[in-house]
Amino acid sequence: MKESVVIWLAILIPVFGLAQNTHLASAGPNTDTNLAQKKPLDLKERRVLPLFGEVSKTSDQIDEEIRFLSECDKSFTTRAEASSFFTARAWEYLQEGALDTACYRFNLAHLLNDKNVEAYWGLGVISYQRENWVEAKRMLSRGIGLQGENVPLLVDLSTVDLKLYAITSRKEELDEAAELLNRATAIDSTYALGQYNLALLHYNLNDLDKSWEHLHKGRSLDFNQMNLDFVELLKARKPDPQGFFK
């Protein structure tokens, strides 16, 4: 049921004019979660924040959670099973673009089982689609903390790091993306998005031969995920050594 964080390379490359969006990368102190710490939010507002905003629970929220857990205990064999059910529904809402509803379902899945990697993953995807890059990184990192060998999840987190690098040019984001992608490809070098992200990584490192190498590896694995805008950018800096892209 997992949905990828983003179509590969969409608005990731610095030359696409992302400088004006620098404030997004420094939005850590101004994320929804931290705003929740500054002003009281009602229960409806908390439901659509990742992990309910991670603030002290009100009595209304506690009462609602007790009722919810009690109903799930009657309807499912285990809470882990119930968590999986709500995760599946959350991915469906996310695919339909209903981000608030999906966020609430992922929150319920986490409430039922705080070891459910899919809950963190989904909340990371939602945060990314809301253009809250810092929150996306935090949620995906928590998922990797539970499942560090998950190749698509590692690659998705590298996508967020590459996005942040495109905005800020901070080398630490690029270094972390490299570490994540090296881990991912060491586990499975046949995951196409990992190869495409390596192509972007080496483009940013000005290692254009390596960028072409990984682009062609990705092309051979899944041509449909090729980003032709990136191909044009790469060609402008160095013609395709294999002559495939004229």
Side-chain angles (χ1 to χ4, degrees), residues 9-30:
L9 293 183
I11 64 172
L12 281 177
I13 303 167
V15 296
F16 286 174
L18 287 170
Q20 68 270 26
N21 290 331
T22 301
H23 65 282
L24 293 172
S26 59
N30 295 316

Side-chain angles (χ1 to χ4, degrees), residues 32-216:
D32 288 341
T33 298
N34 287 291
L35 284 175
Q37 296 170 354
K38 295 179 180 179
K39 66 184 183 74
L41 298 175
D42 62 31
L43 186 52
K44 184 177 179 180
E45 291 172 311
R46 291 172 182 235
R47 288 172 181 159
V48 298
L49 295 177
L51 305 184
F52 297 100
E54 295 185 280
V55 294
S56 298
K57 296 180 181 181
T58 64
S59 58
D60 287 344
Q61 183 177 350
I62 292 171
D63 289 344
E64 182 177 272
E65 289 182 0
I66 290 172
R67 289 193 298 271
F68 169 74
L69 292 171
S70 177
E71 288 301 316
C72 285
D73 289 341
K74 295 175 185 176
S75 302
F76 298 91
T77 304
T78 65
R79 289 187 179 182
E81 178 190 346
S83 181
S84 296
F85 171 85
F86 281 96
T87 296
R89 301 291 80 71
W91 285 122
E92 291 172 0
Y93 283 116
L94 180 55
Q95 193 171 23
E96 294 168 2
L99 299 187
D100 286 353
T101 304
C103 186
Y104 183 41
R105 296 302 185 276
F106 281 124
N107 283 337
L108 294 176
H110 176 268
L111 179 64
L112 286 157
N113 177 15
D114 63 3
K115 299 297 188 294
N116 185 342
V117 173
E118 296 275 330
Y120 295 112
W121 202 341
L123 292 171
V125 173
I126 289 168
S127 297
Y128 192 97
Q129 293 193 9
R130 288 173 172 172
E131 299 187 345
N132 191 336
W133 325 118
V134 174
E135 186 78 344
K137 181 172 180 175
R138 194 168 69 88
M139 289 293 117
L140 294 176
S141 295
R142 290 180 70 169
I144 286 173
L146 293 171
Q147 203 171 90
E149 303 297 299
N150 187 316
V151 170
L153 183 53
L154 288 166
V155 173
D156 276 357
L157 181 54
S158 79
T159 297
V160 180
D161 278 319
L162 289 167
K163 175 68 177 183
L164 286 169
Y165 176 76
I167 296 168
T168 69
S169 298
R170 289 195 302 251
K171 188 174 183 297
E172 54 264 35
E173 309 291 358
L174 210 56
D175 289 342
E176 182 171 305
E179 190 273 332
L180 290 164
L181 290 168
N182 287 335
R183 283 171 60 187
T185 53
I187 299 167
D188 183 5
S189 62
T190 67
Y191 185 62
L193 285 178
Q195 296 296 334
Y196 285 134
N197 274 14
L198 279 168
L200 176 57
L201 173 73
H202 287 287
Y203 177 93
N204 284 318
L205 291 170
N206 203 33
D207 189 345
L208 303 182
D209 287 328
K210 279 285 189 182
S211 185
W212 275 117
E213 177 186 335
H214 289 290
L215 185 69
H216 283 298

